[in-house]
Amino acid sequence: MRFLNIRVNSEQTKVNQIVTAVIKDIENGLLARGNQLPSINACSRAQKVSRDTVDKAYQKLKSSGYVASVSGLGFFIKTNKPVKYRILFIAGKFGTGENLFYASLLKALGGNADIDVRYHQNHAETLRDTLADNAGKYHYYIVASQNFSLPEQKKLSSVLRSVALKEVVLLNNAGVKRSSYYVTIVHGGNNSLYNTLCRLKIPQSRYRNICLLNHTGAAQFAATVHALKKYSDVHTKKFTITGVSEKKLLHPSTLYIVHDDGDLVSLLKLIGNSTYKIGRDIDVISLSDDSVFKELLNVSVITTDFEGLGQSVAAMIEMNKLEQIPNALKITMRGSV
């Protein structure tokens, strides 16, 4: 192993500094299959760290498949052909959007990537534990955070700061402040939704009102309100925010915008029990991830372009240049509009 200068004040732990150094030496051809790593005692003395620190680093390398241990002999490089990019994708669930992103990222990186998947269940503390447990095992950590509730979203910055991994890519979250600890790919902010609405092929004369169903737990709710107000002002529409349980919710010539799938089902039931016809008297657009469920219900959707997102992240990884970039939204038009 090449000379390694352990930095006490580094954002990486001493364990992860050793792990990263060994992996880079393997990738650069300085360590090949069969090469022996310094013994735990030798590495401890050379790097002026504890034996426990070195042992933890070697065990991480072993669990990641980079080295193998031989009883009585020590640790040896297991392979000289590691994948170029080891990526951990952490999502709340593996739905349609996550599938599209995963497939697009894998395709864009070709055979150069090995992508593992874990789940944070949309809980910031679970995400923190997952990142901490896997620190040093991957080149990049991609976190899908678009479905975090507002309370959980508020914890994200401190969670990511506490883990202090430089290679974190936070997907589709406009509510988390930019930081040197991670990069954020958002859906383009207020203007992205506004511009997407402007592309809708609906005659302006067909609806006079825009109604946003109130779901303040949605991570993008504030950005949605801003975009819809702007769109309503420009196109002379009456904009309201209301709850799905509101009496006399349904009004003709109204475009309903819905974040929550539960609210969507309730709205569709109300329309079905009324004299109004969806797609003629009333229009409905969902802002949550597309799914077979929405396809069966014939509901139009505005959502993240997950395929484009995968390509954007792959390009950043290949250029080794993590930066803040916007990601576009896409429209899937169906019979509800």
Side-chain angles (χ1 to χ4, degrees):
M1 183 171 63
R2 64 179 169 78
F3 175 75
L4 171 64
N5 181 23
I6 295 290
R7 293 179 297 159
V8 176
N9 60 348
S10 171
E11 292 174 353
Q12 272 195 320
T13 64
K14 294 176 183 178
V15 170
N16 289 341
Q17 288 182 62
I18 296 173
V19 170
T20 300
V22 173
I23 291 174
K24 286 184 177 178
D25 280 359
I26 294 173
E27 292 172 345
N28 293 331
L30 299 176
L31 287 173
R33 182 182 177 87
N35 287 169
Q36 185 173 9
L37 291 178
S39 70
I40 291 176
N41 285 332
C43 186
S44 173
R45 288 193 299 269
Q47 305 304 331
K48 297 181 180 179
V49 295
S50 69
R51 293 183 74 261
D52 185 56
T53 294
V54 179
D55 182 58
K56 286 181 179 178
Y58 282 10
Q59 292 301 329
K60 276 194 173 185
L61 288 164
K62 181 180 177 181
S63 64
S64 300
Y66 286 100
V67 305
S69 61
V70 180
S71 181
L73 295 178
F75 291 85
F76 295 81
I77 302 301
K78 187 176 179 180
T79 177
N80 57 1
K81 290 184 179 181
V83 291
K84 191 174 182 180
Y85 309 113
R86 284 183 52 77
I87 300 169
L88 181 61
F89 179 37
I90 313 173
K93 61 177 182 177
F94 216 65
T96 303
E98 288 80 6
N99 267 304
L100 288 170
F101 170 79
Y102 178 89
S104 175
L105 179 65
L106 198 58
K107 180 179 179 181
L109 292 174
N112 293 321
D114 183 7
I115 307 175
D116 292 335
V117 179
R118 301 287 188 277
Y119 301 98
H120 53 58
Q121 309 297 336
N122 294 318
H123 292 298
E125 291 180 359
T126 304
L127 171 62
R128 179 199 60 203
D129 294 343
T130 303
L131 287 170
D133 290 345
N134 290 280
K137 296 180 182 179
Y138 296 89
H139 300 107
Y140 297 96
Y141 302 82
I142 300 174
V143 180
S145 58
Q146 70 270 20
N147 293 318
F148 271 59
S149 66
L150 285 179
E152 291 299 312
Q153 186 189 67
K154 290 177 181 178
K155 301 176 186 177
L156 276 177
S157 294
S158 60
V159 162
L160 294 170
R161 195 178 299 114
S162 69
V163 177
L165 290 170
K166 279 286 190 180
E167 304 83 5
V168 173
V169 179
L170 190 63
L171 302 184
N172 203 35
N173 204 312
V176 178
K177 294 181 180 178
R178 293 173 61 167
S179 168
S180 60
Y181 289 100
Y182 51 84
V183 300
T184 305
I185 300 179
V186 302
H187 64 49
N190 305 325
N191 287 330
S192 182
L193 179 56
Y194 170 78
N195 293 333
T196 304
L197 289 169
C198 289
R199 299 202 310 269
L200 286 174
K201 297 179 180 179
I202 312 175
Q204 289 293 327
S205 59
R206 196 163 95 188
Y207 61 100
R208 300 186 301 273
N209 313 302
I210 297 178
C211 179
L212 173 63
L213 292 194
N214 186 9
H215 189 70
T216 53
Q220 309 294 344
F221 188 77
T224 301
V225 171
H226 186 280
L228 292 178
K229 281 183 176 178
K230 179 179 178 181
Y231 182 84
S232 299
D233 290 343
V234 170
H235 296 277
T236 321
K237 309 293 181 183
K238 180 182 178 182
F239 174 60
T240 58
I241 302 174
T242 187
V244 73
S245 60
E246 187 77 18
K247 291 182 179 180
K248 296 183 179 180
L249 170 65
L250 299 182
H251 299 281
S253 302
T254 300
L255 170 62
Y256 290 87
I257 306 292
V258 190
H259 265 291
D260 182 68
D261 285 350
D263 289 346
L264 175 64
V265 172
S266 297
L267 177 63
L268 294 177
K269 284 181 179 179
L270 286 174
I271 298 172
N273 292 328
S274 74
T275 58
Y276 299 124
K277 181 175 175 59
I278 192 169
R280 184 191 67 189
D281 307 311
I282 288 176
D283 296 312
V284 177
I285 293 177
S286 169
L287 295 185
S288 61
D289 293 351
D290 200 4
S291 62
V292 175
F293 156 71
K294 288 171 190 170
E295 186 175 354
L296 291 173
L297 292 176
N298 208 20
V299 173
S300 299
V301 176
I302 295 177
T303 187
T304 300
D305 179 4
F306 286 100
E307 292 183 81
L309 185 58
Q311 294 166 5
S312 297
V313 174
M316 284 202 309
I317 288 174
E318 290 191 310
M319 291 187 295
N320 193 26
K321 186 179 181 182
L322 298 186
E323 56 187 0
Q324 311 290 143
I325 62 171
N327 185 65
L329 299 178
K330 74 171 186 176
I331 310 170
T332 302
M333 296 291 286
R334 299 193 178 105
S336 67
V337 172

